[in-house]
Amino acid sequence: MVKNNILKILSNYLARFWGIVSVFIFIPLYIKYLGVESYAVIGFYSLLLGITGFIDSGMSSAVLKEFSIENTSNYKYSILTSIEKKYIIICFILIIIFIVNSNFISNSWLTSEFISSSRLQYYIVLISIGICLQLLSSLYYGAFFGLNEQVRANIYQIIWSVSKSLLVIIYFIFFNANLEIYFWWQIICNLLYLLILRYSIIKKLEEPNGKLNIIIKKIPKHILSYIINVTFIAILTSLNGYADKLIASSLFTLSVFGFYNIASTISQFPLYVSSPLVLFVFPSIARLYHEKKIFRLNHLIFKIYVLLIIVTLPIVFTVISFNKEIMGIWTGKILDGEAANSYGTLIKFLVSGYFFTAMQLPLYYILLASDRTRFSVIQSIVQILVGVPLLYISAKFYGITYIGAVWFFLSFFSFLSIFIYSVRKNVLLIRNKRIFFQLILLPLLVNILIYGSVFSLNLIDSVGFFVLAPSSFCLS
Protein backbone atom coordinates (compact mmCIF):
# COMPACT_ATOMS: atom_id res chain seq x y z
CA MET A 1 0.00 0.00 0.00
CA VAL A 2 2.80 2.41 0.96
CA LYS A 3 4.78 1.56 -2.20
CA ASN A 4 1.65 2.04 -4.29
CA ASN A 5 1.05 5.50 -2.77
CA ILE A 6 4.68 6.46 -3.32
CA LEU A 7 4.38 5.38 -6.95
CA LYS A 8 1.27 7.53 -7.36
CA ILE A 9 2.96 10.56 -5.84
CA LEU A 10 6.01 10.03 -8.03
CA SER A 11 3.82 9.75 -11.13
CA ASN A 12 2.08 13.01 -10.19
CA TYR A 13 5.41 14.73 -9.80
CA LEU A 14 6.80 13.15 -12.96
CA ALA A 15 3.85 14.54 -14.92
CA ARG A 16 4.30 17.93 -13.29
CA PHE A 17 8.10 17.73 -13.64
CA TRP A 18 7.71 17.12 -17.35
CA GLY A 19 5.41 20.13 -17.47
CA ILE A 20 8.11 22.28 -15.87
CA VAL A 21 10.89 20.86 -18.05
CA SER A 22 8.81 21.27 -21.20
CA VAL A 23 8.24 24.90 -20.27
CA PHE A 24 11.99 25.42 -19.98
CA ILE A 25 12.64 23.62 -23.26
CA PHE A 26 9.82 24.71 -25.51
CA ILE A 27 9.10 28.33 -24.63
CA PRO A 28 12.61 29.45 -25.76
CA LEU A 29 12.10 27.41 -28.96
CA TYR A 30 8.68 28.97 -29.59
CA ILE A 31 10.27 32.39 -29.21
CA LYS A 32 13.16 31.40 -31.49
CA TYR A 33 11.03 30.05 -34.35
CA LEU A 34 7.90 32.20 -34.00
CA GLY A 35 9.07 35.40 -32.29
CA VAL A 36 7.95 37.07 -29.06
CA GLU A 37 4.72 38.45 -30.54
CA SER A 38 3.56 35.08 -31.94
CA TYR A 39 4.51 33.46 -28.63
CA ALA A 40 2.29 36.08 -26.96
CA VAL A 41 -0.65 34.70 -28.99
CA ILE A 42 0.18 31.25 -27.56
CA GLY A 43 0.28 32.90 -24.14
CA PHE A 44 -3.16 34.37 -24.86
CA TYR A 45 -4.33 30.84 -25.70
CA SER A 46 -3.14 29.70 -22.26
CA LEU A 47 -4.84 32.72 -20.70
CA LEU A 48 -8.20 31.90 -22.30
CA LEU A 49 -7.80 28.25 -21.31
CA GLY A 50 -7.19 29.27 -17.72
CA ILE A 51 -10.13 31.68 -17.61
CA THR A 52 -12.59 29.22 -19.15
CA GLY A 53 -11.32 26.54 -16.77
CA PHE A 54 -14.19 27.45 -14.44
CA ILE A 55 -16.41 25.35 -16.75
CA ASP A 56 -14.32 22.31 -15.94
CA SER A 57 -13.71 22.92 -12.22
CA GLY A 58 -17.14 21.99 -10.96
CA MET A 59 -17.77 19.05 -13.29
CA SER A 60 -14.39 17.30 -13.15
CA SER A 61 -14.18 17.92 -9.40
CA ALA A 62 -17.64 16.37 -8.94
CA VAL A 63 -16.61 13.31 -10.99
CA LEU A 64 -13.39 12.97 -8.99
CA LYS A 65 -15.30 13.25 -5.72
CA GLU A 66 -18.02 10.74 -6.68
CA PHE A 67 -15.53 8.26 -8.13
CA SER A 68 -13.42 8.40 -4.94
CA ILE A 69 -16.39 7.25 -2.80
CA GLU A 70 -17.30 3.55 -2.70
CA ASN A 71 -20.15 2.88 -5.12
CA THR A 72 -21.10 0.62 -8.03
CA SER A 73 -19.59 0.96 -11.50
CA ASN A 74 -23.07 1.52 -12.95
CA TYR A 75 -23.60 4.46 -10.59
CA LYS A 76 -20.26 6.02 -11.54
CA TYR A 77 -20.90 5.43 -15.24
CA SER A 78 -24.34 7.05 -14.93
CA ILE A 79 -22.89 10.10 -13.20
CA LEU A 80 -20.13 10.38 -15.79
CA THR A 81 -22.46 10.19 -18.81
CA SER A 82 -24.97 12.61 -17.27
CA ILE A 83 -22.29 15.22 -16.62
CA GLU A 84 -20.64 14.49 -19.98
CA LYS A 85 -23.79 15.37 -21.96
CA LYS A 86 -24.13 18.72 -20.21
CA TYR A 87 -20.41 19.41 -20.68
CA ILE A 88 -20.54 18.82 -24.45
CA ILE A 89 -23.43 21.26 -24.84
CA ILE A 90 -21.57 23.90 -22.81
CA CYS A 91 -18.44 23.43 -24.94
CA PHE A 92 -20.41 24.01 -28.16
CA ILE A 93 -21.89 27.19 -26.68
CA LEU A 94 -18.39 28.34 -25.66
CA ILE A 95 -17.07 27.85 -29.22
CA ILE A 96 -19.97 29.92 -30.61
CA ILE A 97 -19.24 32.70 -28.08
CA PHE A 98 -15.59 32.81 -29.14
CA ILE A 99 -16.49 32.87 -32.85
CA VAL A 100 -19.02 35.69 -32.38
CA ASN A 101 -16.53 37.77 -30.37
CA SER A 102 -13.39 36.93 -32.38
CA ASN A 103 -13.60 40.22 -34.30
CA PHE A 104 -13.75 42.26 -31.07
CA ILE A 105 -10.84 40.35 -29.51
CA SER A 106 -8.61 40.69 -32.57
CA ASN A 107 -9.37 44.37 -33.24
CA SER A 108 -10.20 45.97 -29.89
CA TRP A 109 -8.49 43.81 -27.27
CA LEU A 110 -5.15 42.66 -28.68
CA THR A 111 -2.62 45.11 -30.10
CA SER A 112 -0.26 43.57 -32.66
CA GLU A 113 2.53 45.15 -34.67
CA PHE A 114 3.11 42.30 -37.13
CA ILE A 115 0.00 40.04 -37.15
CA SER A 116 -3.07 41.21 -39.07
CA SER A 117 -6.43 41.39 -37.32
CA SER A 118 -7.91 38.86 -39.77
CA ARG A 119 -5.23 36.31 -38.89
CA LEU A 120 -5.76 36.98 -35.18
CA GLN A 121 -9.49 36.41 -35.68
CA TYR A 122 -8.76 33.07 -37.38
CA TYR A 123 -6.44 32.06 -34.54
CA ILE A 124 -9.15 32.85 -31.96
CA VAL A 125 -11.51 30.39 -33.70
CA LEU A 126 -8.84 27.65 -33.66
CA ILE A 127 -8.04 28.47 -30.03
CA SER A 128 -11.70 28.01 -29.05
CA ILE A 129 -11.80 24.50 -30.52
CA GLY A 130 -8.55 23.48 -28.86
CA ILE A 131 -9.71 24.85 -25.50
CA CYS A 132 -13.02 22.97 -25.50
CA LEU A 133 -11.40 19.65 -26.39
CA GLN A 134 -8.84 20.08 -23.61
CA LEU A 135 -11.47 21.10 -21.06
CA LEU A 136 -13.60 18.05 -21.86
CA SER A 137 -10.62 15.70 -21.43
CA SER A 138 -10.26 16.90 -17.82
CA LEU A 139 -13.54 15.15 -17.00
CA TYR A 140 -12.02 11.72 -17.69
CA TYR A 141 -8.69 12.64 -16.14
CA GLY A 142 -10.54 13.43 -12.91
CA ALA A 143 -12.35 10.10 -13.14
CA PHE A 144 -9.02 8.27 -13.24
CA PHE A 145 -7.87 10.11 -10.12
CA GLY A 146 -11.09 9.25 -8.32
CA LEU A 147 -10.48 5.57 -9.09
CA ASN A 148 -6.91 5.88 -7.70
CA GLU A 149 -5.51 5.31 -11.19
CA GLN A 150 -3.16 8.30 -10.97
CA VAL A 151 -0.21 6.47 -12.51
CA ARG A 152 -2.13 5.51 -15.63
CA ALA A 153 -3.68 8.97 -15.95
CA ASN A 154 -0.28 10.64 -15.63
CA ILE A 155 1.26 8.35 -18.26
CA TYR A 156 -1.47 9.40 -20.69
CA GLN A 157 -0.93 13.04 -19.79
CA ILE A 158 2.84 12.89 -20.30
CA ILE A 159 2.45 11.22 -23.72
CA TRP A 160 -0.12 13.85 -24.70
CA SER A 161 2.06 16.70 -23.47
CA VAL A 162 5.16 15.39 -25.28
CA SER A 163 3.21 14.90 -28.49
CA LYS A 164 1.63 18.34 -28.62
CA SER A 165 4.85 20.18 -27.66
CA LEU A 166 7.77 18.22 -29.08
CA LEU A 167 6.36 17.08 -32.42
CA VAL A 168 5.27 20.56 -33.45
CA ILE A 169 8.79 21.88 -32.72
CA ILE A 170 10.23 19.13 -34.94
CA TYR A 171 7.89 20.29 -37.70
CA PHE A 172 9.05 23.89 -37.17
CA ILE A 173 12.69 22.83 -37.48
CA PHE A 174 12.38 20.79 -40.69
CA PHE A 175 9.48 22.49 -42.47
CA ASN A 176 7.69 25.75 -41.70
CA ALA A 177 7.11 27.57 -38.41
CA ASN A 178 3.79 29.39 -38.10
CA LEU A 179 0.92 29.75 -35.64
CA GLU A 180 -1.65 28.06 -37.87
CA ILE A 181 0.30 24.79 -37.80
CA TYR A 182 0.74 25.12 -34.04
CA PHE A 183 -2.97 25.53 -33.29
CA TRP A 184 -4.12 22.79 -35.69
CA TRP A 185 -1.65 20.40 -34.07
CA GLN A 186 -3.01 21.29 -30.62
CA ILE A 187 -6.53 20.46 -31.83
CA ILE A 188 -5.46 17.07 -33.21
CA CYS A 189 -3.54 16.11 -30.06
CA ASN A 190 -6.34 17.25 -27.74
CA LEU A 191 -8.94 15.26 -29.70
CA LEU A 192 -6.88 12.05 -29.64
CA TYR A 193 -6.11 12.51 -25.93
CA LEU A 194 -9.80 12.99 -25.15
CA LEU A 195 -10.88 9.88 -27.08
CA ILE A 196 -8.19 7.69 -25.50
CA LEU A 197 -9.04 8.85 -21.98
CA ARG A 198 -12.76 8.25 -22.49
CA TYR A 199 -12.26 4.80 -23.99
CA SER A 200 -9.89 3.82 -21.17
CA ILE A 201 -12.13 4.98 -18.32
CA ILE A 202 -15.13 3.13 -19.77
CA LYS A 203 -13.05 -0.05 -20.05
CA LYS A 204 -11.90 0.41 -16.45
CA LEU A 205 -15.48 0.72 -15.22
CA GLU A 206 -16.46 -2.41 -17.18
CA GLU A 207 -13.82 -4.59 -15.45
CA PRO A 208 -15.90 -5.78 -12.44
CA ASN A 209 -19.19 -6.74 -14.12
CA GLY A 210 -18.82 -6.32 -17.87
CA LYS A 211 -21.43 -4.24 -19.69
CA LEU A 212 -22.40 -0.97 -18.01
CA ASN A 213 -25.97 0.22 -17.49
CA ILE A 214 -27.31 3.71 -16.85
CA ILE A 215 -29.22 3.60 -13.56
CA ILE A 216 -29.51 7.39 -13.08
CA LYS A 217 -30.73 9.54 -15.95
CA LYS A 218 -30.39 12.93 -14.26
CA ILE A 219 -27.61 14.42 -12.19
CA PRO A 220 -28.57 14.01 -8.49
CA LYS A 221 -29.45 17.26 -6.70
CA HIS A 222 -26.54 17.10 -4.23
CA ILE A 223 -24.06 16.69 -7.11
CA LEU A 224 -25.72 19.44 -9.15
CA SER A 225 -25.57 21.74 -6.13
CA TYR A 226 -21.90 20.89 -5.66
CA ILE A 227 -21.17 21.61 -9.35
CA ILE A 228 -22.97 24.96 -9.24
CA ASN A 229 -21.18 26.04 -6.05
CA VAL A 230 -17.73 24.99 -7.24
CA THR A 231 -18.30 26.49 -10.70
CA PHE A 232 -19.37 29.81 -9.19
CA ILE A 233 -16.27 29.81 -7.01
CA ALA A 234 -14.15 28.86 -10.03
CA ILE A 235 -15.55 31.81 -12.02
CA LEU A 236 -14.50 34.17 -9.26
CA THR A 237 -11.16 32.39 -8.87
CA SER A 238 -10.51 32.63 -12.62
CA LEU A 239 -11.20 36.35 -12.58
CA ASN A 240 -8.87 36.75 -9.62
CA GLY A 241 -6.17 34.45 -10.93
CA TYR A 242 -6.04 35.81 -14.46
CA ALA A 243 -7.01 39.44 -13.95
CA ASP A 244 -3.37 40.50 -14.16
CA LYS A 245 -2.90 38.83 -17.56
CA LEU A 246 -6.21 40.15 -18.87
CA ILE A 247 -5.19 43.67 -17.93
CA ALA A 248 -1.67 43.23 -19.33
CA SER A 249 -2.99 41.85 -22.64
CA SER A 250 -5.44 44.74 -23.05
CA LEU A 251 -3.23 47.68 -21.98
CA PHE A 252 0.09 46.68 -23.54
CA THR A 253 1.27 45.42 -26.92
CA LEU A 254 1.53 41.69 -27.64
CA SER A 255 5.32 41.91 -27.31
CA VAL A 256 5.13 43.40 -23.79
CA PHE A 257 2.41 40.90 -22.89
CA GLY A 258 4.70 38.13 -24.18
CA PHE A 259 7.46 39.17 -21.78
CA TYR A 260 4.95 39.49 -18.95
CA ASN A 261 3.67 35.99 -19.70
CA ILE A 262 7.23 34.63 -19.55
CA ALA A 263 7.81 36.32 -16.18
CA SER A 264 4.48 34.99 -14.87
CA THR A 265 5.25 31.43 -16.03
CA ILE A 266 8.64 31.49 -14.30
CA SER A 267 6.99 32.78 -11.13
CA GLN A 268 4.46 29.93 -11.01
CA PHE A 269 7.09 27.28 -10.23
CA PRO A 270 5.95 27.05 -6.55
CA LEU A 271 2.45 26.27 -7.83
CA TYR A 272 3.77 23.70 -10.34
CA VAL A 273 5.45 21.62 -7.62
CA SER A 274 2.76 21.97 -4.94
CA SER A 275 -0.41 21.24 -6.93
CA PRO A 276 0.44 17.56 -7.75
CA LEU A 277 0.82 16.77 -4.05
CA VAL A 278 -2.44 18.46 -3.07
CA LEU A 279 -4.29 16.95 -6.04
CA PHE A 280 -3.04 13.49 -5.03
CA VAL A 281 -4.42 13.76 -1.49
CA PHE A 282 -7.78 15.35 -2.42
CA PRO A 283 -9.53 11.93 -2.70
CA SER A 284 -8.17 11.12 0.78
CA ILE A 285 -9.36 14.48 2.10
CA ALA A 286 -12.86 13.88 0.69
CA ARG A 287 -12.95 10.32 2.03
CA LEU A 288 -11.74 11.24 5.56
CA TYR A 289 -14.24 14.06 5.84
CA HIS A 290 -17.04 11.81 4.50
CA GLU A 291 -16.10 9.25 7.19
CA LYS A 292 -15.98 12.00 9.88
CA LYS A 293 -12.33 11.25 10.74
CA ILE A 294 -11.53 14.89 11.46
CA PHE A 295 -8.34 14.39 13.50
CA ARG A 296 -6.80 12.11 10.87
CA LEU A 297 -7.79 14.65 8.25
CA ASN A 298 -6.02 17.47 10.08
CA HIS A 299 -2.96 15.31 10.65
CA LEU A 300 -2.83 14.78 6.89
CA ILE A 301 -3.13 18.54 6.27
CA PHE A 302 -0.22 19.25 8.62
CA LYS A 303 1.96 16.74 6.78
CA ILE A 304 1.06 18.37 3.47
CA TYR A 305 2.09 21.78 4.76
CA VAL A 306 5.45 20.52 5.93
CA LEU A 307 6.13 19.04 2.48
CA LEU A 308 4.89 22.15 0.69
CA ILE A 309 7.25 24.40 2.63
CA ILE A 310 10.19 22.08 2.02
CA VAL A 311 9.68 21.90 -1.75
CA THR A 312 8.49 25.45 -2.51
CA LEU A 313 10.69 27.79 -0.48
CA PRO A 314 14.01 26.82 -2.11
CA ILE A 315 12.38 27.40 -5.50
CA VAL A 316 11.05 30.81 -4.45
CA PHE A 317 14.44 31.93 -3.16
CA THR A 318 16.26 30.64 -6.25
CA VAL A 319 13.90 32.41 -8.67
CA ILE A 320 14.23 35.65 -6.66
CA SER A 321 18.04 35.37 -6.68
CA PHE A 322 18.54 34.50 -10.35
CA ASN A 323 15.53 36.03 -12.11
CA LYS A 324 17.65 37.83 -14.72
CA GLU A 325 19.55 34.68 -15.64
CA ILE A 326 16.37 32.58 -15.89
CA MET A 327 14.66 35.24 -17.98
CA GLY A 328 17.75 35.40 -20.19
CA ILE A 329 17.70 31.65 -20.83
CA TRP A 330 14.11 31.85 -22.09
CA THR A 331 14.46 34.97 -24.20
CA GLY A 332 17.86 34.02 -25.64
CA LYS A 333 19.71 36.96 -24.10
CA ILE A 334 20.51 38.37 -20.67
CA LEU A 335 18.37 41.42 -20.09
CA ASP A 336 20.14 44.52 -18.90
CA GLY A 337 19.39 48.12 -18.03
CA GLU A 338 15.87 49.29 -17.28
CA ALA A 339 14.18 46.20 -18.81
CA ALA A 340 16.20 43.84 -16.59
CA ASN A 341 15.38 45.78 -13.43
CA SER A 342 11.71 46.09 -14.38
CA TYR A 343 11.11 42.41 -15.16
CA GLY A 344 13.39 41.34 -12.30
CA THR A 345 11.28 43.25 -9.78
CA LEU A 346 8.11 41.91 -11.42
CA ILE A 347 9.30 38.29 -11.02
CA LYS A 348 10.23 38.84 -7.36
CA PHE A 349 6.72 40.07 -6.55
CA LEU A 350 4.96 37.42 -8.65
CA VAL A 351 6.89 34.39 -7.34
CA SER A 352 6.33 35.52 -3.73
CA GLY A 353 2.62 35.86 -4.48
CA TYR A 354 2.43 32.40 -6.03
CA PHE A 355 4.09 30.95 -2.92
CA PHE A 356 1.14 32.14 -0.83
CA THR A 357 -1.24 30.89 -3.51
CA ALA A 358 0.34 27.43 -3.14
CA MET A 359 -0.09 27.66 0.64
CA GLN A 360 -3.84 28.14 0.16
CA LEU A 361 -4.36 24.89 -1.76
CA PRO A 362 -4.72 22.43 1.17
CA LEU A 363 -7.20 24.71 2.94
CA TYR A 364 -9.14 25.30 -0.27
CA TYR A 365 -9.55 21.57 -0.86
CA ILE A 366 -10.54 20.82 2.71
CA LEU A 367 -13.23 23.52 2.45
CA LEU A 368 -14.42 21.92 -0.80
CA ALA A 369 -14.55 18.48 0.81
CA SER A 370 -16.59 19.85 3.73
CA ASP A 371 -18.92 21.81 1.38
CA ARG A 372 -17.93 25.09 3.08
CA THR A 373 -17.93 27.13 -0.09
CA ARG A 374 -19.50 30.33 1.25
CA PHE A 375 -16.23 31.75 2.56
CA SER A 376 -14.44 31.11 -0.73
CA VAL A 377 -17.22 32.95 -2.56
CA ILE A 378 -17.06 35.97 -0.23
CA GLN A 379 -13.26 36.00 -0.35
CA SER A 380 -13.22 35.92 -4.14
CA ILE A 381 -15.84 38.68 -4.46
CA VAL A 382 -13.85 40.93 -2.13
CA GLN A 383 -10.67 40.26 -4.11
CA ILE A 384 -12.41 41.14 -7.38
CA LEU A 385 -13.94 44.34 -5.99
CA VAL A 386 -10.64 45.46 -4.46
CA GLY A 387 -7.96 43.68 -6.51
CA VAL A 388 -9.07 44.22 -10.11
CA PRO A 389 -9.34 48.03 -9.82
CA LEU A 390 -5.95 48.14 -8.05
CA LEU A 391 -4.36 45.98 -10.77
CA TYR A 392 -5.82 48.16 -13.52
CA ILE A 393 -4.79 51.44 -11.89
CA SER A 394 -1.27 50.20 -11.11
CA ALA A 395 -0.77 48.98 -14.70
CA LYS A 396 -2.39 52.01 -16.35
CA PHE A 397 -0.54 54.73 -14.43
CA TYR A 398 2.61 53.11 -13.00
CA GLY A 399 3.61 50.37 -15.46
CA ILE A 400 3.64 46.63 -15.72
CA THR A 401 5.97 46.08 -12.72
CA TYR A 402 3.36 47.30 -10.26
CA ILE A 403 0.95 44.59 -11.37
CA GLY A 404 3.30 42.18 -9.56
CA ALA A 405 3.29 44.27 -6.37
CA VAL A 406 -0.51 44.32 -6.18
CA TRP A 407 -0.66 40.59 -7.02
CA PHE A 408 1.71 39.79 -4.11
CA PHE A 409 -0.36 41.66 -1.53
CA LEU A 410 -3.61 40.15 -2.82
CA SER A 411 -2.18 36.62 -2.56
CA PHE A 412 -0.76 37.22 0.90
CA PHE A 413 -3.99 38.58 2.38
CA SER A 414 -5.98 35.85 0.63
CA PHE A 415 -3.89 33.17 2.34
CA LEU A 416 -4.10 34.98 5.68
CA SER A 417 -7.88 35.24 5.53
CA ILE A 418 -8.51 31.59 4.58
CA PHE A 419 -6.07 30.42 7.28
CA ILE A 420 -7.75 32.50 10.00
CA TYR A 421 -11.21 31.33 8.87
CA SER A 422 -10.15 27.67 8.86
CA VAL A 423 -8.76 27.93 12.40
CA ARG A 424 -11.73 29.86 13.82
CA LYS A 425 -14.27 27.46 12.29
CA ASN A 426 -12.27 24.40 13.46
CA VAL A 427 -11.74 23.26 9.89
CA LEU A 428 -8.04 23.35 10.72
CA LEU A 429 -7.48 22.14 14.27
CA ILE A 430 -4.43 23.55 16.03
CA ARG A 431 -4.66 21.83 19.40
CA ASN A 432 -0.93 21.79 20.07
CA LYS A 433 0.54 25.16 19.16
CA ARG A 434 4.06 23.99 19.99
CA ILE A 435 3.87 21.23 17.36
CA PHE A 436 2.37 23.66 14.86
CA PHE A 437 5.24 26.08 15.47
CA GLN A 438 7.90 23.37 15.14
CA LEU A 439 6.48 21.70 12.05
CA ILE A 440 5.43 24.72 10.00
CA LEU A 441 6.34 28.16 11.34
CA LEU A 442 9.88 27.39 12.52
CA PRO A 443 11.11 25.90 9.20
CA LEU A 444 9.51 28.83 7.39
CA LEU A 445 11.15 31.45 9.62
CA VAL A 446 14.57 29.72 9.60
CA ASN A 447 14.55 29.56 5.80
CA ILE A 448 13.68 33.22 5.47
CA LEU A 449 16.26 34.35 8.04
CA ILE A 450 19.11 32.26 6.61
CA TYR A 451 18.31 33.25 3.05
CA GLY A 452 17.96 36.93 3.93
CA SER A 453 21.26 36.96 5.82
CA VAL A 454 23.42 35.28 3.19
CA PHE A 455 21.79 37.12 0.31
CA SER A 456 22.26 40.52 1.95
CA LEU A 457 25.93 39.69 2.56
CA ASN A 458 26.40 38.49 -1.05
CA LEU A 459 27.42 35.01 0.18
CA ILE A 460 25.02 33.15 -2.09
CA ASP A 461 25.75 31.63 -5.49
CA SER A 462 23.85 29.53 -7.98
CA VAL A 463 25.23 26.24 -6.59
CA GLY A 464 25.50 26.99 -2.91
CA PHE A 465 21.92 28.06 -2.54
CA PHE A 466 20.53 24.62 -3.47
CA VAL A 467 22.52 23.25 -0.53
CA LEU A 468 21.75 26.13 1.79
CA ALA A 469 17.96 26.30 1.47
CA PRO A 470 17.15 22.64 2.27
CA SER A 471 19.75 22.57 5.04
CA SER A 472 17.84 25.22 6.97
CA PHE A 473 15.08 22.63 7.50
CA CYS A 474 17.60 20.33 9.15
CA LEU A 475 18.58 23.14 11.51
CA SER A 476 14.96 23.74 12.39
Side-chain angles (χ1 to χ4, degrees):
M1 182 67 177
V2 175
K3 289 182 178 180
N4 191 31
N5 286 337
I6 292 174
L7 184 61
K8 291 174 184 176
I9 294 175
L10 288 177
S11 72
N12 285 348
Y13 270 102
L14 182 60
R16 183 61 64 175
F17 178 73
W18 167 249
I20 297 172
V21 170
S22 65
V23 164
F24 263 112
I25 295 173
F26 297 122
I27 287 182
L29 291 174
Y30 291 148
I31 295 172
K32 177 181 178 180
Y33 289 104
L34 297 174
V36 173
E37 191 169 77
S38 290
Y39 166 70
V41 179
I42 297 175
F44 190 68
Y45 171 31
S46 300
L47 171 61
L48 293 179
L49 178 63
I51 293 172
T52 55
F54 71 85
I55 297 172
D56 170 68
S57 297
M59 295 189 181
S60 63
S61 178
V63 169
L64 192 158
K65 185 179 179 183
E66 293 301 314
F67 273 51
S68 65
I69 299 172
E70 286 295 327
N71 220 315
T72 64
S73 293
N74 285 331
Y75 172 81
K76 293 176 180 179
Y77 175 67
S78 300
I79 295 298
L80 180 63
T81 53
S82 298
I83 294 177
E84 180 185 57
K85 292 174 183 177
K86 301 291 189 297
Y87 209 154
I88 292 172
I89 294 172
I90 292 172
C91 284
F92 273 116
I93 294 172
L94 184 62
I95 291 174
I96 293 172
I97 292 172
F98 274 118
I99 292 174
V100 170
N101 291 279
S102 59
N103 183 56
F104 167 77
I105 296 172
S106 60
N107 287 286
S108 303
W109 189 273
L110 300 177
T111 304
S112 174
E113 297 176 8
F114 305 106
I115 305 173
S116 67
S117 60
S118 60
R119 293 302 293 177
L120 281 175
Q121 189 173 350
Y122 173 54
Y123 296 150
I124 296 300
V125 174
L126 296 182
I127 284 172
S128 67
I129 299 172
I131 284 175
C132 288
L133 291 174
Q134 186 168 338
L135 287 176
L136 191 56
S137 67
S138 300
L139 195 67
Y140 313 111
Y141 186 76
F144 272 113
F145 265 71
L147 293 175
N148 282 320
E149 291 285 335
Q150 289 97 326
V151 176
R152 189 174 176 183
N154 286 324
I155 289 173
Y156 286 142
Q157 187 182 60
I158 291 172
I159 295 172
W160 164 68
S161 179
V162 171
S163 300
K164 72 172 189 169
S165 301
L166 178 60
L167 296 183
V168 74
I169 290 293
I170 294 175
Y171 184 91
F172 287 170
I173 293 172
F174 292 102
F175 299 100
N176 182 34
N178 63 72
L179 280 175
E180 182 178 11
I181 294 297
Y182 174 83
F183 287 127
W184 272 113
W185 184 245
Q186 301 306 300
I187 291 172
I188 293 170
C189 289
N190 289 349
L191 178 60
L192 291 175
Y193 177 59
L194 185 154
L195 294 175
I196 291 171
L197 281 181
R198 189 185 189 283
Y199 175 81
S200 300
I201 198 68
I202 297 300
K203 285 296 180 183
K204 181 65 181 177
L205 290 174
E206 287 177 345
E207 284 181 3
N209 302 310
K211 186 178 179 180
L212 297 169
N213 296 308
I214 295 177
I215 58 175
I216 300 174
K217 293 185 178 181
K218 293 184 179 180
I219 302 174
K221 289 185 178 180
H222 73 280
I223 298 178
L224 189 60
S225 175
Y226 176 86
I227 291 173
I228 293 171
N229 288 335
V230 174
T231 300
F232 183 63
I233 294 172
I235 292 172
L236 300 176
T237 303
S238 294
L239 290 175
N240 281 316
Y242 294 97
D244 60 325
K245 293 187 180 69
L246 279 172
I247 292 169
S249 65
S250 64
L251 292 180
F252 302 99
T253 65
L254 275 174
S255 295
V256 174
F257 173 65
F259 280 109
Y260 181 85
N261 197 60
I262 294 171
S264 179
T265 304
I266 293 170
S267 302
Q268 291 182 55
F269 283 168
L271 210 54
Y272 293 155
V273 299
S274 58
S275 55
L277 174 62
V278 182
L279 181 61
F280 166 75
V281 298
F282 179 59
S284 298
I285 292 173
R287 185 173 59 255
L288 288 173
Y289 184 84
H290 181 73
E291 296 172 355
K292 307 299 181 184
K293 297 178 180 178
I294 305 301
F295 286 100
R296 284 187 60 186
L297 176 59
N298 275 267
H299 184 64
L300 175 63
I301 296 296
F302 272 86
K303 284 184 176 181
I304 295 169
Y305 267 114
V306 173
L307 289 174
L308 287 184
I309 291 172
I310 291 174
V311 299
T312 56
L313 271 184
I315 294 173
V316 171
F317 293 152
T318 302
V319 172
I320 289 175
S321 303
F322 308 106
N323 56 80
K324 294 178 184 178
E325 290 80 0
I326 298 172
M327 194 79 171
I329 291 172
W330 284 24
T331 58
K333 60 180 180 179
I334 301 296
L335 298 177
D336 53 14
E338 185 178 347
N341 293 330
S342 177
Y343 287 112
T345 303
L346 174 65
I347 289 175
K348 291 175 184 178
F349 278 124
L350 288 176
V351 73
S352 301
Y354 278 111
F355 167 74
F356 287 107
T357 301
M359 292 298 104
Q360 294 180 58
L361 291 178
L363 297 177
Y364 173 75
Y365 278 108
I366 196 175
L367 289 177
L368 275 185
S370 60
D371 292 326
R372 294 173 180 262
T373 56
R374 185 184 176 191
F375 174 80
S376 298
V377 171
I378 295 173
Q379 181 192 48
S380 297
I381 291 174
V382 171
Q383 279 189 254
I384 290 173
L385 294 177
V386 176
V388 173
L390 285 176
L391 287 168
Y392 182 83
I393 292 170
S394 63
K396 181 75 173 178
F397 297 103
Y398 300 101
I400 202 163
T401 302
Y402 286 87
I403 294 180
V406 174
W407 169 254
F408 165 73
F409 286 109
L410 289 174
S411 299
F412 173 74
F413 285 111
S414 178
F415 165 72
L416 197 61
S417 63
I418 195 172
F419 179 81
I420 292 173
Y421 174 83
S422 300
V423 173
R424 291 189 63 181
K425 295 297 183 180
N426 291 323
V427 176
L428 183 65
L429 302 177
I430 305 179
R431 302 298 187 190
N432 192 326
K433 295 182 179 179
R434 182 171 174 271
I435 293 176
F436 174 74
F437 180 79
Q438 287 180 339
L439 289 180
I440 297 179
L441 294 185
L442 187 59
L444 180 62
L445 292 173
V446 169
N447 262 264
I448 293 173
L449 289 174
I450 291 178
Y451 167 77
S453 299
V454 297
F455 187 70
S456 63
L457 295 173
N458 294 319
L459 298 176
I460 194 168
D461 58 42
S462 58
V463 177
F465 179 72
F466 284 100
V467 177
L468 174 68
S471 67
S472 63
F473 289 96
C474 297
L475 293 175
S476 60

